[in-house]
Short mmCIF file of all heavy atoms in Angstrom, two decimals:
data_model
loop_
_atom_site.label_atom_id
_atom_site.label_comp_id
_atom_site.label_asym_id
_atom_site.label_seq_id
_atom_site.Cartn_x
_atom_site.Cartn_y
_atom_site.Cartn_z
N GLN L 1 -0.71 6.93 -0.93
CA GLN L 1 -0.56 7.32 0.46
C GLN L 1 -1.88 7.14 1.22
O GLN L 1 -1.84 6.70 2.37
CB GLN L 1 -0.13 8.79 0.51
CG GLN L 1 1.28 9.01 0.03
CD GLN L 1 1.64 10.50 -0.15
OE1 GLN L 1 0.76 11.32 -0.43
NE2 GLN L 1 2.92 10.80 -0.11
N GLU L 2 -3.02 7.40 0.56
CA GLU L 2 -4.29 7.18 1.22
C GLU L 2 -4.60 5.69 1.35
O GLU L 2 -5.08 5.19 2.37
CB GLU L 2 -5.39 7.87 0.42
CG GLU L 2 -5.34 9.35 0.44
CD GLU L 2 -5.44 9.94 1.82
OE1 GLU L 2 -6.28 9.44 2.62
OE2 GLU L 2 -4.64 10.84 2.18
N MET L 3 -4.35 4.90 0.30
CA MET L 3 -4.59 3.51 0.31
C MET L 3 -3.80 2.79 1.44
O MET L 3 -4.28 1.87 2.10
CB MET L 3 -4.19 2.89 -1.03
CG MET L 3 -4.43 1.41 -1.14
SD MET L 3 -3.31 0.54 -2.28
CE MET L 3 -1.76 0.70 -1.44
N ALA L 4 -2.55 3.21 1.63
CA ALA L 4 -1.70 2.62 2.63
C ALA L 4 -2.20 2.71 4.06
O ALA L 4 -1.71 2.05 4.96
CB ALA L 4 -0.29 3.22 2.53
N LYS L 5 -3.18 3.68 4.20
CA LYS L 5 -3.76 3.86 5.59
C LYS L 5 -5.05 3.06 5.76
O LYS L 5 -5.59 3.02 6.90
CB LYS L 5 -4.06 5.35 5.78
CG LYS L 5 -2.84 6.24 5.62
CD LYS L 5 -3.31 7.71 5.68
CE LYS L 5 -2.14 8.67 5.42
NZ LYS L 5 -2.59 10.10 5.38
N SER L 6 -5.55 2.48 4.72
CA SER L 6 -6.87 1.83 4.74
C SER L 6 -6.84 0.49 5.45
O SER L 6 -5.98 -0.33 5.19
CB SER L 6 -7.43 1.64 3.33
OG SER L 6 -8.61 0.89 3.34
N ARG L 7 -7.86 0.25 6.26
CA ARG L 7 -8.00 -1.07 6.94
C ARG L 7 -8.48 -2.15 5.96
O ARG L 7 -8.39 -3.31 6.26
CB ARG L 7 -8.97 -0.94 8.10
CG ARG L 7 -8.53 -0.02 9.19
CD ARG L 7 -9.56 0.03 10.33
NE ARG L 7 -9.17 0.90 11.35
CZ ARG L 7 -9.92 1.15 12.48
NH1 ARG L 7 -11.10 0.58 12.58
NH2 ARG L 7 -9.48 1.99 13.43
N SER L 8 -8.96 -1.71 4.79
CA SER L 8 -9.54 -2.68 3.87
C SER L 8 -8.46 -3.56 3.21
O SER L 8 -8.80 -4.53 2.51
CB SER L 8 -10.29 -1.91 2.78
OG SER L 8 -11.35 -1.18 3.32
N ILE L 9 -7.20 -3.20 3.39
CA ILE L 9 -6.13 -3.94 2.69
C ILE L 9 -5.40 -4.92 3.63
O ILE L 9 -4.37 -5.47 3.23
CB ILE L 9 -5.12 -2.96 2.01
CG1 ILE L 9 -4.42 -2.14 3.09
CG2 ILE L 9 -5.78 -2.10 1.00
CD1 ILE L 9 -3.26 -1.28 2.56
N LYS L 10 -5.94 -5.07 4.81
CA LYS L 10 -5.20 -5.92 5.77
C LYS L 10 -5.04 -7.39 5.36
O LYS L 10 -4.10 -8.06 5.83
CB LYS L 10 -5.90 -5.85 7.14
CG LYS L 10 -7.32 -6.39 7.14
CD LYS L 10 -7.92 -6.23 8.51
CE LYS L 10 -9.36 -6.77 8.57
NZ LYS L 10 -9.96 -6.60 9.91
N GLN L 11 -5.93 -7.89 4.52
CA GLN L 11 -5.83 -9.29 4.06
C GLN L 11 -5.03 -9.48 2.80
O GLN L 11 -4.84 -10.58 2.29
CB GLN L 11 -7.22 -9.89 3.91
CG GLN L 11 -8.00 -9.46 2.69
CD GLN L 11 -8.83 -8.22 2.98
OE1 GLN L 11 -8.38 -7.26 3.59
NE2 GLN L 11 -10.10 -8.19 2.52
N VAL L 12 -4.56 -8.37 2.18
CA VAL L 12 -3.89 -8.40 0.90
C VAL L 12 -2.55 -9.17 0.96
O VAL L 12 -1.73 -8.94 1.85
CB VAL L 12 -3.62 -6.96 0.36
CG1 VAL L 12 -2.72 -7.02 -0.88
CG2 VAL L 12 -4.93 -6.33 0.05
N ARG L 13 -2.41 -10.11 0.03
CA ARG L 13 -1.15 -10.84 -0.13
C ARG L 13 -0.38 -10.43 -1.41
O ARG L 13 0.80 -10.62 -1.52
CB ARG L 13 -1.41 -12.37 -0.14
CG ARG L 13 -1.96 -12.92 1.17
CD ARG L 13 -2.19 -14.38 1.12
NE ARG L 13 -2.76 -14.86 2.33
CZ ARG L 13 -2.06 -15.24 3.42
NH1 ARG L 13 -0.73 -15.19 3.36
NH2 ARG L 13 -2.63 -15.68 4.51
N ARG L 14 -1.14 -9.99 -2.39
CA ARG L 14 -0.54 -9.61 -3.71
C ARG L 14 -1.02 -8.25 -4.13
O ARG L 14 -2.25 -8.03 -4.26
CB ARG L 14 -0.90 -10.66 -4.76
CG ARG L 14 -0.30 -12.05 -4.50
CD ARG L 14 -0.92 -13.11 -5.36
NE ARG L 14 -2.30 -13.41 -4.95
CZ ARG L 14 -2.68 -14.19 -3.91
NH1 ARG L 14 -1.72 -14.88 -3.27
NH2 ARG L 14 -3.92 -14.44 -3.61
N LEU L 15 -0.10 -7.28 -4.32
CA LEU L 15 -0.45 -5.92 -4.68
C LEU L 15 0.23 -5.54 -5.96
O LEU L 15 1.46 -5.67 -6.12
CB LEU L 15 0.00 -4.96 -3.57
CG LEU L 15 -0.19 -3.48 -3.81
CD1 LEU L 15 -1.67 -3.14 -4.06
CD2 LEU L 15 0.38 -2.66 -2.68
N THR L 16 -0.56 -5.07 -6.96
CA THR L 16 0.00 -4.66 -8.23
C THR L 16 -0.44 -3.21 -8.55
O THR L 16 -1.66 -2.88 -8.55
CB THR L 16 -0.56 -5.55 -9.35
OG1 THR L 16 -0.09 -6.86 -9.16
CG2 THR L 16 -0.03 -5.07 -10.73
N ILE L 17 0.56 -2.34 -8.77
CA ILE L 17 0.26 -0.96 -9.22
C ILE L 17 1.25 -0.67 -10.34
O ILE L 17 2.36 -0.22 -10.12
CB ILE L 17 0.42 0.08 -8.08
CG1 ILE L 17 -0.28 -0.40 -6.82
CG2 ILE L 17 -0.15 1.41 -8.49
CD1 ILE L 17 -0.09 0.50 -5.61
N ASN L 18 0.86 -0.88 -11.57
CA ASN L 18 1.79 -0.70 -12.70
C ASN L 18 1.49 0.58 -13.50
O ASN L 18 0.34 0.99 -13.62
CB ASN L 18 1.60 -1.91 -13.66
CG ASN L 18 2.09 -3.22 -13.06
OD1 ASN L 18 2.92 -3.21 -12.14
ND2 ASN L 18 1.61 -4.33 -13.57
N GLY L 19 2.55 1.11 -14.04
CA GLY L 19 2.46 2.20 -15.01
C GLY L 19 1.80 3.44 -14.53
O GLY L 19 1.03 4.13 -15.30
N LYS L 20 1.98 3.85 -13.31
CA LYS L 20 1.31 5.05 -12.79
C LYS L 20 2.24 6.20 -12.52
O LYS L 20 1.90 7.21 -11.92
CB LYS L 20 0.58 4.72 -11.47
CG LYS L 20 -0.38 3.52 -11.56
CD LYS L 20 -1.42 3.68 -12.67
CE LYS L 20 -2.28 2.45 -12.73
NZ LYS L 20 -3.16 2.47 -13.95
N LYS L 21 3.52 6.03 -12.92
CA LYS L 21 4.56 7.07 -12.71
C LYS L 21 4.71 7.36 -11.21
O LYS L 21 4.99 8.51 -10.85
CB LYS L 21 4.24 8.34 -13.48
CG LYS L 21 4.16 8.12 -14.99
CD LYS L 21 3.90 9.42 -15.73
CE LYS L 21 3.86 9.20 -17.26
NZ LYS L 21 3.58 10.44 -17.99
N LEU L 22 4.51 6.38 -10.39
CA LEU L 22 4.70 6.53 -8.94
C LEU L 22 6.16 6.85 -8.62
O LEU L 22 7.06 6.32 -9.26
CB LEU L 22 4.24 5.28 -8.19
CG LEU L 22 2.82 4.84 -8.47
CD1 LEU L 22 2.53 3.54 -7.68
CD2 LEU L 22 1.78 5.92 -8.13
N THR L 23 6.39 7.67 -7.67
CA THR L 23 7.73 8.07 -7.25
C THR L 23 8.07 7.43 -5.91
O THR L 23 7.36 6.56 -5.40
CB THR L 23 7.82 9.63 -7.11
OG1 THR L 23 7.07 10.02 -5.99
CG2 THR L 23 7.26 10.30 -8.38
N ALA L 24 9.20 7.88 -5.34
CA ALA L 24 9.63 7.37 -4.08
C ALA L 24 8.65 7.64 -2.94
O ALA L 24 8.68 6.97 -1.92
CB ALA L 24 10.99 8.01 -3.71
N LEU L 25 7.73 8.62 -3.16
CA LEU L 25 6.74 8.93 -2.15
C LEU L 25 5.81 7.70 -1.96
O LEU L 25 5.43 7.41 -0.82
CB LEU L 25 5.94 10.14 -2.58
CG LEU L 25 6.64 11.49 -2.59
CD1 LEU L 25 5.76 12.57 -3.13
CD2 LEU L 25 7.11 11.85 -1.16
N SER L 26 5.45 7.10 -3.06
CA SER L 26 4.59 5.90 -2.96
C SER L 26 5.32 4.73 -2.30
O SER L 26 4.76 4.02 -1.45
CB SER L 26 4.13 5.47 -4.35
OG SER L 26 3.20 6.39 -4.90
N ALA L 27 6.57 4.57 -2.68
CA ALA L 27 7.37 3.49 -2.04
C ALA L 27 7.49 3.75 -0.51
O ALA L 27 7.35 2.75 0.25
CB ALA L 27 8.77 3.46 -2.67
N ARG L 28 7.64 4.95 -0.16
CA ARG L 28 7.73 5.27 1.32
C ARG L 28 6.42 5.01 1.99
O ARG L 28 6.39 4.41 3.13
CB ARG L 28 8.10 6.73 1.47
CG ARG L 28 8.31 7.09 2.94
CD ARG L 28 8.74 8.57 3.06
NE ARG L 28 8.95 8.92 4.45
CZ ARG L 28 9.42 10.07 4.89
NH1 ARG L 28 9.73 11.02 3.99
NH2 ARG L 28 9.55 10.34 6.15
N ALA L 29 5.31 5.35 1.37
CA ALA L 29 4.00 5.09 1.99
C ALA L 29 3.77 3.61 2.16
O ALA L 29 3.26 3.19 3.24
CB ALA L 29 2.90 5.71 1.09
N LEU L 30 4.12 2.81 1.20
CA LEU L 30 3.95 1.37 1.31
C LEU L 30 4.89 0.81 2.36
O LEU L 30 4.51 -0.08 3.15
CB LEU L 30 4.22 0.74 -0.05
CG LEU L 30 3.26 1.01 -1.19
CD1 LEU L 30 3.73 0.48 -2.51
CD2 LEU L 30 1.86 0.54 -0.89
N ALA L 31 6.13 1.26 2.36
CA ALA L 31 7.14 0.78 3.32
C ALA L 31 6.76 1.05 4.78
O ALA L 31 7.12 0.31 5.67
CB ALA L 31 8.48 1.40 2.98
N GLU L 32 6.05 2.18 4.95
CA GLU L 32 5.71 2.56 6.34
C GLU L 32 4.29 2.07 6.79
O GLU L 32 3.94 2.21 7.96
CB GLU L 32 5.79 4.11 6.46
CG GLU L 32 7.16 4.66 6.30
CD GLU L 32 7.22 6.18 6.33
OE1 GLU L 32 6.12 6.81 6.34
OE2 GLU L 32 8.36 6.75 6.38
N SER L 33 3.56 1.52 5.86
CA SER L 33 2.23 1.04 6.17
C SER L 33 2.27 -0.23 7.01
O SER L 33 3.03 -1.16 6.73
CB SER L 33 1.44 0.78 4.90
OG SER L 33 0.19 0.20 5.23
N ASP L 34 1.43 -0.29 8.05
CA ASP L 34 1.30 -1.47 8.85
C ASP L 34 0.03 -2.25 8.56
O ASP L 34 -0.42 -3.06 9.32
CB ASP L 34 1.40 -1.13 10.35
CG ASP L 34 0.31 -0.18 10.81
OD1 ASP L 34 -0.52 0.24 9.90
OD2 ASP L 34 0.25 0.16 11.96
N LYS L 35 -0.56 -1.95 7.40
CA LYS L 35 -1.86 -2.50 7.02
C LYS L 35 -1.73 -3.78 6.19
O LYS L 35 -2.77 -4.46 5.87
CB LYS L 35 -2.71 -1.47 6.29
CG LYS L 35 -2.87 -0.13 6.99
CD LYS L 35 -3.54 -0.34 8.36
CE LYS L 35 -3.79 1.03 9.00
NZ LYS L 35 -4.38 0.90 10.38
N MET L 36 -0.53 -4.13 5.78
CA MET L 36 -0.35 -5.33 4.89
C MET L 36 0.71 -6.28 5.44
O MET L 36 1.69 -6.60 4.78
CB MET L 36 0.03 -4.88 3.50
CG MET L 36 -1.01 -4.02 2.77
SD MET L 36 -0.51 -3.52 1.13
CE MET L 36 0.72 -2.27 1.54
N PRO L 37 0.50 -6.81 6.62
CA PRO L 37 1.50 -7.68 7.25
C PRO L 37 1.64 -9.01 6.52
O PRO L 37 2.64 -9.71 6.69
CB PRO L 37 0.94 -7.92 8.65
CG PRO L 37 -0.57 -7.75 8.49
CD PRO L 37 -0.70 -6.62 7.49
N ASN L 38 0.68 -9.38 5.71
CA ASN L 38 0.72 -10.69 4.99
C ASN L 38 1.14 -10.53 3.53
O ASN L 38 1.09 -11.55 2.80
CB ASN L 38 -0.68 -11.35 5.06
CG ASN L 38 -1.14 -11.62 6.49
OD1 ASN L 38 -0.36 -12.15 7.30
ND2 ASN L 38 -2.37 -11.32 6.77
#
């Protein structure tokens, strides 16, 4: 949720977050983030 707000990820094209037991909360944070248009 914090990462999804960061301006540092605006150039990211490939994102990998494996094996962290992330729930729908993480999916929602990524889905609502406007920091990764590419």
Side-chain angles (χ1 to χ4, degrees):
Q1 290 169 336
E2 292 301 316
M3 180 208 68
K5 302 173 186 177
S6 175
R7 295 180 180 179
S8 300
I9 62 174
K10 62 182 180 181
Q11 74 270 45
V12 170
R13 294 181 182 274
R14 294 166 290 276
L15 175 62
T16 298
I17 313 176
N18 292 337
K20 308 303 178 188
K21 298 182 180 179
L22 303 180
T23 70
L25 293 174
S26 289
R28 182 176 182 177
L30 295 173
E32 294 178 350
S33 174
D34 58 359
K35 306 301 183 184
M36 296 180 287
N38 299 315

